């Protein structure tokens, strides 16, 4: 999978047609799920693929303001509850999103507004938690509904063809050495592995496109910092972080970089973080 290209071209779709994804492609998605990289490989995760008939059960349980984006199919990720399981679900979910993107299939993450009710509606027993829901299928007539955020109470969808949602750039997303210090990554060659990974991280989808995280380039480490915001709840914040780690790692690790992967630990250093920000982990270059 060419993660860099897929990550920079992907965007959420909110107008799906009724056209179903072929059994071949669904089989390819299941195979990919069985073998795709994970952030925390020890956590057991199951994938359900639901059809359009699940819309009624998902209705009012998922989506911004409980407004379901209807699609021909939905991925539901069920996970054992363990340390970093939501980041892991975000990471795996985005692997699946990019796999579908590669197949020419559109996607949209959907926030889980009422997990217990969703579990009940899907007749799920057992200890696993419903960690993620992703709508997927084919776009309807090339219309992308664009997200607009006026205030927490005013989130609206505008139908507009072919427009991408703006994302933070590398100078806005990255610092060198400590919080607030101007970065030097954007001076790298755009073909450089590190540059591509950092650009891919900037393109990560996030809840309401708020991108509540920053990255600090500290010598041989890229340190991921979460920034608490009032609109993103803890579950979506952790999904966001997993998605961002997937974009970064996917854009480097499948090339011959020799980079060593994410460690969900805090380096012993004062990054002069503002209140409400905390280190999630670091990528060892
Ligand atoms: C954790 C998470 C939850 C999301 N929930 C919803 C949702 O409930 N409804 C929706 O329309 N989009 C949802 N999105 C999609 C984001 O709004 C979208 O990724 C963001 O606006 C950036 O746009 P893009 O994906 O086109 O780059 C969600 C994204 C993430 C990562």
């Amino acid at each position: 999978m060419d993660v860099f290209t897929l990550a920079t071209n992907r965007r959420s779709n909110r107008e799906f047609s009724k056209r179903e994804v072929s059994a071949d492609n669904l089989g390819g998605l299941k195979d990919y799920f069985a073998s795709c990289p994970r952030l925390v490989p020890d956590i057991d995760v199951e994938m359900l693929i639901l059809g359009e008939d699940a819309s009624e059960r998902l209705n009012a349980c998922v989506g911004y303001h409980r407004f379901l984006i209807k699609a021909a199919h939905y991925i539901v990720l069920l996970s054992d509850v363990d340390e970093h399981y939501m980041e892991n679900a975000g990471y795996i979910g985005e692997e699946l999103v990019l796999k579908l993107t590669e197949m020419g299939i559109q996607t949209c993450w959907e926030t889980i507004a009422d997990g217990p009710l969703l579990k009940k509606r899907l007749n799920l027993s057992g200890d696993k938690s419903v960690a993620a829901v992703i709508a997927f299928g084919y776009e309807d007539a090339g219309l992308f509904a664009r997200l607009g955020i006026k205030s927490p109470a005013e989130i609206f969808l505008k139908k507009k063809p072919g427009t991408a949602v703006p994302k933070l750039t590398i100078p806005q997303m990255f610092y060198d050495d400590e919080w607030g210090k101007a970065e030097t990554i954007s001076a790298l060659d755009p073909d450089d592995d590190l540059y591509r990974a950092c650009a891919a991280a900037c393109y990560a989808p996030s809840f309401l496109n708020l991108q509540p995280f920053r990255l600090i380039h500290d010598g041989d480490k890229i340190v991921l910092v979460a920034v608490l915001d009032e609109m993103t709840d803890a579950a979506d914040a952790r999904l966001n972080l997993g998605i961002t780690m997937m974009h970064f790692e996917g854009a480097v690790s499948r090339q011959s970089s020799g980079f060593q992967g994410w460690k969900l630990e805090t380096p012993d250093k004062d990054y002069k973080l503002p209140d409400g920000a905390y280190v999630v982990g670091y990528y060892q270059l």
Side-chain angles (χ1 to χ4, degrees), residues 9 19 34 58 62 88-89 115-116 120 122 134 180 185 190 203 222 273-274:
N9 289 333
R19 181 181 158 204
L58 297 176
V62 305
N88 187 49
K120 204 167 144 192
L122 296 177
I134 300 163
I185 289 165
Y203 277 92
I222 295 286
L273 303 184

Side-chain angles (χ1 to χ4, degrees), residues 177-241:
D177 304 323
E178 64 182 40
W179 187 271
K181 192 172 158 196
E183 56 75 42
T184 49
I185 289 165
S186 51
L188 293 172
D189 185 325
D191 285 334
D192 185 281
D193 241 14
L194 181 59
Y195 183 95
R196 285 162 68 92
C198 294
C202 291
Y203 277 92
S206 59
F207 178 85
L208 289 178
N209 198 37
L210 292 172
Q211 299 185 279
F213 41 81
R214 295 292 181 273
L215 295 111
I216 299 176
H217 184 200
D218 175 23
D220 61 354
K221 295 181 182 63
I222 295 286
V223 182
L224 177 59
V225 176
V227 185
L228 298 179
D229 75 272
E230 286 173 3
M231 288 165 75
T232 311
D233 73 13
D236 286 318
R238 291 175 183 277
L239 289 173
N240 284 342
L241 296 166

Side-chain angles (χ1 to χ4, degrees), residues 7 9-14 62-69 86 90 94 97 107-113 131-133 144-149 155 157 163-167 202-211 232-233 235-241 243 247:
N9 289 333
R10 179 220 57 83
R11 59 196 163 185
S12 298
N13 181 54
R14 297 186 176 86
V62 305
Y64 293 147
H65 295 317
R66 298 180 178 243
F67 176 79
L68 174 74
I69 302 294
M86 288 301 290
E94 190 65 4
V97 161
T107 58
C108 188
W109 282 86
E110 301 221 40
T111 185
I112 300 174
V133 175
F144 278 84
R146 185 180 167 156
L147 185 74
I149 307 166
I155 301 161
L157 296 176
T163 43
V165 176
K167 295 278 165 36
C202 291
Y203 277 92
S206 59
F207 178 85
L208 289 178
N209 198 37
L210 292 172
Q211 299 185 279
T232 311
D233 73 13
D236 286 318
R238 291 175 183 277
L239 289 173
N240 284 342
L241 296 166
I243 293 168
H247 272 215

Side-chain angles (χ1 to χ4, degrees), residues 38-219:
R38 275 130 167 86
L39 185 65
V40 190
D42 294 345
I43 298 178
D44 192 42
V45 179
E46 278 173 38
M47 176 178 71
L48 307 179
I49 298 181
L50 308 178
E52 197 194 6
D53 56 343
S55 299
E56 223 168 277
R57 283 174 285 152
L58 297 176
N59 198 25
C61 290
V62 305
Y64 293 147
H65 295 317
R66 298 180 178 243
F67 176 79
L68 174 74
I69 302 294
K70 288 191 179 147
H73 307 276
Y74 303 90
I75 290 170
V76 175
L77 291 183
L78 304 175
S79 174
D80 277 354
V81 176
D82 211 333
E83 206 182 2
H84 305 304
Y85 81 99
M86 288 301 290
E87 290 90 338
N88 187 49
Y91 190 104
I92 295 172
E94 190 65 4
E95 285 279 355
L96 302 171
V97 161
L98 296 187
K99 187 69 196 169
L100 288 164
T101 307
E102 189 183 44
M103 294 172 176
I105 296 165
Q106 276 75 42
T107 58
C108 188
W109 282 86
E110 301 221 40
T111 185
I112 300 174
D114 192 336
L117 179 60
L118 179 59
K119 217 174 152 181
K120 204 167 144 192
R121 291 250 194 99
L122 296 177
N123 293 322
L124 298 169
S125 51
D127 294 337
K128 282 196 167 51
S129 171
V130 187
V133 175
I134 300 163
F136 70 99
Y138 293 97
E139 70 191 271
D140 193 4
L143 272 182
F144 278 84
R146 185 180 167 156
L147 185 74
I149 307 166
K150 279 192 173 166
S151 72
E154 263 188 289
I155 301 161
F156 60 92
L157 296 176
K158 253 190 330 198
K159 284 181 192 171
K160 217 175 168 190
T163 43
V165 176
K167 295 278 165 36
L168 294 179
T169 59
I170 289 178
Q172 293 166 328
M173 180 67 94
F174 282 81
Y175 299 124
D176 266 7
D177 304 323
E178 64 182 40
W179 187 271
K181 192 172 158 196
E183 56 75 42
T184 49
I185 289 165
S186 51
L188 293 172
D189 185 325
D191 285 334
D192 185 281
D193 241 14
L194 181 59
Y195 183 95
R196 285 162 68 92
C198 294
C202 291
Y203 277 92
S206 59
F207 178 85
L208 289 178
N209 198 37
L210 292 172
Q211 299 185 279
F213 41 81
R214 295 292 181 273
L215 295 111
I216 299 176
H217 184 200
D218 175 23

